[in-house]
C-alpha cells in the first residue's frame, strides 16, 4: 500500500518564471481539503457552547438587540458606535433564532468555522495545500479562537471579514476582474463597519502589491477599491474615535503588554511556540517566499504595534480587538513547519514531509487542552454566577416584590441588572426599586438611579438584594442614604449563596 499524498497543482513555481513571488493560482481539487479545518473549528466551537454563562459584554449584546429603533439610535449616538454593525446583524438574526445563549453565540461559531476554511485556502494560494490545511487547523486549535467562537460579540465576525477580504484580494491580484475588485471593496466596508481596527489588515495587502506584484493596473485597481471603501468607512472611524473614552480604562503598562501577548493566542506557551515558528519562517523562506512571509508578518505584527502606539488616543490595546491577526500567525507557523520538513527531505517524499508538518498538531493540542477547558468556564471572565442567582430569584419572586443591587463598592451594578433582565426576560420581573430611568431609555448602557431613595422605594414590602460584596454584612457598601434607609425599614429574612454572589430577601419591618 502506498503512502497517501495530497494532490498538487502541478504548476511551476511562479518565482522561477518571474523572479519574484506572486500568488499561486491554485487549481485542481485540493481546495476541498479546506473542509477539514472548517469541520474542526465548527466542532470545537460547538463543544460545550453553553457551559459558560453570558458575561458582561455578551449581556450588552443581548440588551442592545432588545432595544427599539429609537433607543438603538440614541445608544450608538452616545456610545458603542464601533459595534453598531454587529448589533444590527445580531438584531436581525435573533428575530429568527431567538436569544438563548446558544443562539446568541452561534453566529460566532459559524464565523470561526468559515474563517478556518478560508485560512486554508489562503495558505494554499500563497504556498501549497499542506501549508493551507495545517494553518487552518492551527487557527482552529488556538484557545483564543475557541474563546471568541463561543462569545456573542463581534470579534469572530470581524476576523471572518478580514480574512475573507484578504482571500478576495489575493484572487483579484491573481486574476483581475471588475467583479473581484468590487467584492474586495465591499468586504473592506464590512470590515470597517464591524470594527474599524481590523482595517489594519490593509497595509499587509499594500505590502504584497509592492513586493510581489508587477504592473501598475493591479495597484490602481486596489487604490480605487480602497479609496471608495474608505468613503463609507470614514464617518464610522471619525465618530467612533470620539467615543473611545468608554474604554479609557485600557492600559499599556508592562503587565498589560504581558496580558495582551498571552491573550493573543490563549496561553503564553502557545504564543512562544507560534512566535518561534514565525521567526523560523523568515529564516527558511528563501528568496522565492520571503516577500510572502514578510507580508504575513505585517499582518500579524503591525496591528498590535499600532494599537500600542495609539493607546493614549484610541485605547484599543486589548487582545480581543486583534483576533484578526491570529490567521497570520497560523499561516507563518504552518509554513515554517512544512518548509523545514520539506527541506529536510529535499522534497522527494511528499507524504513524509507532510507527516513532519503534522507533528505540530499533537504539540499544539497538548499545550492547549487546559486552556480549552478554561475558556469554557466562568473563570474565563471572572464574573459572579449571576444567572444562577437570577434563576433562583425567578422561582421565589412574588407580585409586588422589588429588586436592588449591591456590588459592595457603591457602584451602579449594571452588569447584575442586565443579567437579571436577561434571566427573567420571559417572566414578570420585580421592580428595580432604586432606578429612576432604565438603561434602555437613557441612551447609554447604564441606568439612571434615584437621587433620593425614599420616594423610589414607595410601599414595596419585599426587596430581593442581589449582592456581590465581600463583607459578611450584605448591606455594607451600598450608597450611604440607601443603606441607612434599608437598615431602618427592612429586616434580613433569608440569604441564598451562589458563586461570588448572594441573593438576600429583605422584608419591611412591622409598622
Amino acid at each position: 500500500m502506498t503512502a497517501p499524498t495530497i494532490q498538487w497543482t502541478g504548476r511551476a513555481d511562479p518565482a522561477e518564471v518571474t523572479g519574484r513571488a506572486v500568488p499561486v493560482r491554485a487549481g485542481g481539487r485540493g481546495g476541498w481539503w479546506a473542509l477539514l479545518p472548517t469541520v474542526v473549528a465548527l466542532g470545537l466551537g460547538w463543544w460545550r457552547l453553553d457551559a459558560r454563562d453570558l458575561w458582561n459584554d455578551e449581556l450588552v449584546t443581548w440588551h442592545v438587540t432588545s432595544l427599539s429603533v429609537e433607543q438603538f439610535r440614541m445608544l450608538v449616538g452616545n456610545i458603542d458606535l464601533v459595534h453598531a454593525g454587529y448589533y444590527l446583524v445580531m438584531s436581525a438574526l435573533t428575530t429568527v433564532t431567538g436569544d438563548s445563549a446558544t443562539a446568541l453565540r452561534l453566529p460566532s461559531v459559524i464565523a470561526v468555522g468559515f474563517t478556518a476554511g478560508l485560512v486554508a485556502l489562503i495558505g494554499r494560494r500563497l504556498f501549497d495545500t499542506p501549508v493551507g490545511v495545517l494553518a487552518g487547523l492551527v487557527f482552529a486549535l488556538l484557545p483564543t479562537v475557541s474563546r471568541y467562537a463561543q462569545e456573542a460579540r463581534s470579534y469572530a465576525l470581524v476576523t471572518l471579514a478580514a480574512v475573507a477580504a484578504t482571500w478576495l484580494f489575493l484572487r483579484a491580484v491573481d486574476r483581475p476582474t471588475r467583479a473581484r475588485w468590487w467584492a474586495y471593496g465591499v468586504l473592506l466596508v464590512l470590515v470597517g463597519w464591524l470594527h474599524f481596527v481590523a482595517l489594519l489588515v490593509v497595509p499587509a495587502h499594500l505590502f504584497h502589491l509592492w513586493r510581489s506584484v508587477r504592473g501598475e493596473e493591479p495597484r490602481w485597481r486596489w487604490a480605487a477599491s480602497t479609496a471608495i471603501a474608505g468613503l463609507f468607512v470614514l464617518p464610522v472611524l471619525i465618530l467612533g474615535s470620539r467615543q473611545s473614552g468608554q474604554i479609557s480604562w485600557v492600559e499599556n503598562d508592562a503587565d498589560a503588554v504581558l496580558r495582551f501577548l498571552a491573550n493573543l493566542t490563549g496561553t503564553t506557551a502557545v504564543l512562544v511556540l507560534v512566535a518561534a515558528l514565525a521567526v523560523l519562517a523568515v529564516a527558511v523562506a528563501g528568496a522565492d517566499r520571503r516577500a510572502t512571509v514578510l507580508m504575513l508578518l505585517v499582518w500579524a505584527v503591525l496591528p498590535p504595534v499600532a494599537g500600542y502606539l495609539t493607546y493614549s488616543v484610541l485605547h484599543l490595546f486589548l487582545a480581543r480587538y486583534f483576533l484578526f491577526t491570529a490567521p497570520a500567525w497560523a499561516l507563518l507557523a504552518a509554513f515554517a513547519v512544512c518548509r523545514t520538513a520539506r527541506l529536510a527531505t529535499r522534497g522527494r517524499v511528499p507524504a513524509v514531509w507532510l507527516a513532519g508538518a503534522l507533528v505540530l498538531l499533537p504539540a499544539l493540542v497538548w499545550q492547549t487542552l487546559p486552556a480549552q477547558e478554561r475558556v469554557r468556564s466562568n473563570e474565563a471572565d471572572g464574573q459572579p454566577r449571576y444567572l444562577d442567582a437570577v434563576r433562583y430569584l425567578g422561582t421565589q419572586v412574588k407580585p409586588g416584590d422589588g429588586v436592588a443591587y449591591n456590588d459592595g463598592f457603591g457602584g451602579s451594578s449594571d452588569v447584575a441588572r442586565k443579567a437579571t433582565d436577561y434571566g427573567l426576560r420571559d417572566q414578570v420581573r420585580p421592580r428595580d426599586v432604586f432606578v429612576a430611568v432604565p438603561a434602555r431609555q437613557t441612551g447609554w448602557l447604564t441606568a439612571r438611579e434615584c437621587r433620593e431613595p425614599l420616594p423610589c422605594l414607595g410601599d414595596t414590602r419585599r426587596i430581593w438584594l442581589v449582592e456581590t460584596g465581600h463583607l459578611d454584612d450584605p448591606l455594607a457598601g451600598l450608597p450611604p442614604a440607601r443603606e441607612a434607609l434599608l437598615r431602618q425599614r427592612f429586616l434580613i429574612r433569608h440569604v441564598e449563596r451562589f458563586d461570588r454572589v448572594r441573593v438576600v430577601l429583605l422584608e419591611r419591618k412591622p409598622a
Side-chain angles (χ1 to χ4, degrees):
M1 182 180 294
T2 59
T5 59
I6 285 180
Q7 182 174 357
W8 311 105
T9 62
R11 299 178 183 248
D13 190 328
E16 298 175 1
V17 179
T18 65
R20 304 187 70 181
V22 298
V24 177
R25 184 178 299 173
R29 300 177 181 178
W32 288 102
W33 280 92
L35 290 175
L36 177 59
T38 297
V39 170
V40 171
L42 288 173
L44 285 173
W46 187 260
W47 176 42
R48 296 176 59 194
L49 181 59
D50 59 352
R52 181 167 52 93
D53 281 351
L54 296 178
W55 76 293
N56 183 22
D57 285 8
E58 294 181 286
L59 290 169
V60 168
T61 296
W62 169 79
H63 169 80
V64 176
T65 59
S66 67
L67 298 178
S68 67
V69 174
E70 179 58 25
Q71 290 168 346
F72 178 80
R73 186 197 63 78
M74 289 172 56
L75 177 71
V76 298
N78 294 324
I79 195 173
D80 250 10
L81 179 64
V82 68
H83 296 297
Y86 172 71
Y87 290 147
L88 289 173
V89 171
M90 291 300 294
S91 295
L93 290 177
T94 53
T95 59
V96 178
T97 62
D99 58 1
S100 67
T102 298
L104 288 170
R105 291 168 174 168
L106 188 58
S108 295
V109 175
I110 295 172
V112 163
F114 280 127
T115 302
L118 285 174
V119 169
L121 293 177
I122 290 173
R124 181 171 181 261
R125 183 166 291 275
L126 291 177
F127 303 109
D128 53 36
T129 300
V131 172
V133 174
L134 183 60
L137 291 172
V138 170
F139 172 80
L141 290 172
L142 292 177
T144 191
V145 171
S146 292
R147 162 66 191 271
Y148 295 109
Q150 297 193 338
E151 184 155 308
R153 295 298 285 173
S154 65
Y155 312 115
L157 271 71
V158 171
T159 302
L160 172 60
V163 171
T166 302
W167 179 66
L168 282 173
F169 164 77
L170 294 174
R171 286 173 57 83
V173 168
D174 186 25
R175 194 175 67 188
T177 65
R178 182 175 298 178
R180 289 185 176 187
W181 284 113
W182 272 106
Y184 170 67
V186 170
L187 257 296
L188 288 184
V189 174
L190 181 60
V191 171
W193 284 356
L194 286 172
H195 204 301
F196 61 76
V197 71
L199 290 173
L200 287 171
V201 73
V202 173
H205 302 170
L206 178 59
F207 182 89
H208 186 75
L209 283 171
W210 170 50
R211 289 296 303 271
S212 303
V213 179
R214 290 181 173 178
E216 294 298 322
E217 183 179 356
R219 298 173 184 178
W220 281 110
R221 286 178 179 265
W222 174 85
S225 297
T226 53
I228 294 173
L231 294 177
F232 290 92
V233 175
L234 189 60
V236 177
L237 177 61
I238 294 174
L239 295 175
S241 63
R242 295 176 181 175
Q243 299 177 356
S244 62
Q246 65 180 300
I247 51 173
S248 58
W249 50 268
V250 176
E251 300 175 343
N252 72 337
D253 56 16
D255 289 340
V257 172
L258 292 176
R259 286 195 304 271
F260 180 96
L261 294 175
N263 291 335
L264 194 61
T265 57
T267 69
T268 303
V270 174
L271 174 69
V272 171
L273 176 62
V274 298
L277 289 174
V279 173
L280 179 61
V282 177
V284 301
D288 60 328
R289 297 301 185 197
R290 184 167 293 118
T292 303
V293 168
L294 291 176
M295 182 269 284
L296 293 174
L297 277 175
V298 172
W299 180 359
V301 175
L302 177 64
V305 171
Y308 179 85
L309 294 177
T310 60
Y311 151 79
S312 60
V313 178
L314 297 176
H315 310 292
L316 291 172
F317 194 61
L318 287 175
R320 59 178 177 261
Y321 295 155
F322 298 92
L323 181 66
F324 69 92
T325 64
W329 291 108
L331 286 161
L332 287 167
F335 170 74
V337 172
C338 291
R339 181 75 162 200
T340 301
R342 187 176 187 182
L343 291 175
T345 62
R346 298 182 182 180
R348 289 177 296 188
V349 188
V352 171
W353 69 264
L354 176 59
L358 295 180
V359 170
L360 176 60
L361 297 180
L364 197 59
V365 170
W366 176 260
Q367 287 292 334
T368 59
L369 270 178
Q372 292 285 0
E373 287 285 345
R374 188 168 57 253
V375 300
R376 289 165 175 81
S377 71
N378 286 279
E379 295 177 7
D381 307 305
Q383 185 169 285
R385 295 293 298 268
Y386 285 121
L387 291 181
D388 282 351
V390 170
R391 293 183 191 105
Y392 166 77
L393 181 60
T395 65
Q396 301 296 316
V397 70
K398 297 179 180 179
D401 285 358
V403 65
Y405 303 92
N406 181 16
D407 67 355
F409 303 99
S412 61
S413 301
D414 275 285
V415 179
R417 282 196 171 93
K418 290 183 180 64
T420 303
D421 287 346
Y422 177 77
L424 302 181
R425 64 194 183 282
D426 298 324
Q427 301 173 235
V428 176
R429 281 169 277 179
R431 183 176 69 88
D432 199 335
V433 292
F434 295 120
V435 162
V437 183
R440 63 181 61 249
Q441 298 176 14
T442 63
W444 300 86
L445 293 173
T446 56
R448 188 180 307 150
E449 298 192 339
C450 301
R451 294 183 179 180
E452 297 294 333
L454 181 58
C456 287
L457 181 61
D459 60 355
T460 304
R461 307 297 303 175
R462 299 202 317 169
I463 296 177
W464 295 92
L465 182 68
V466 180
E467 188 265 335
T468 55
H470 304 289
L471 302 176
D472 291 336
D473 185 354
L475 299 181
L478 282 166
R482 196 177 303 173
E483 179 182 350
L485 177 64
L486 292 178
R487 290 190 188 280
Q488 178 186 6
R489 305 202 176 199
F490 286 81
L491 294 172
I492 296 176
R493 291 300 189 189
H494 181 71
V495 178
E496 194 74 20
R497 289 173 172 83
F498 300 91
D499 182 11
R500 290 168 290 173
V501 60
R502 293 180 290 191
V503 179
V504 182
L505 174 60
L506 304 175
E507 286 189 354
R508 190 181 286 267
K509 295 178 180 178

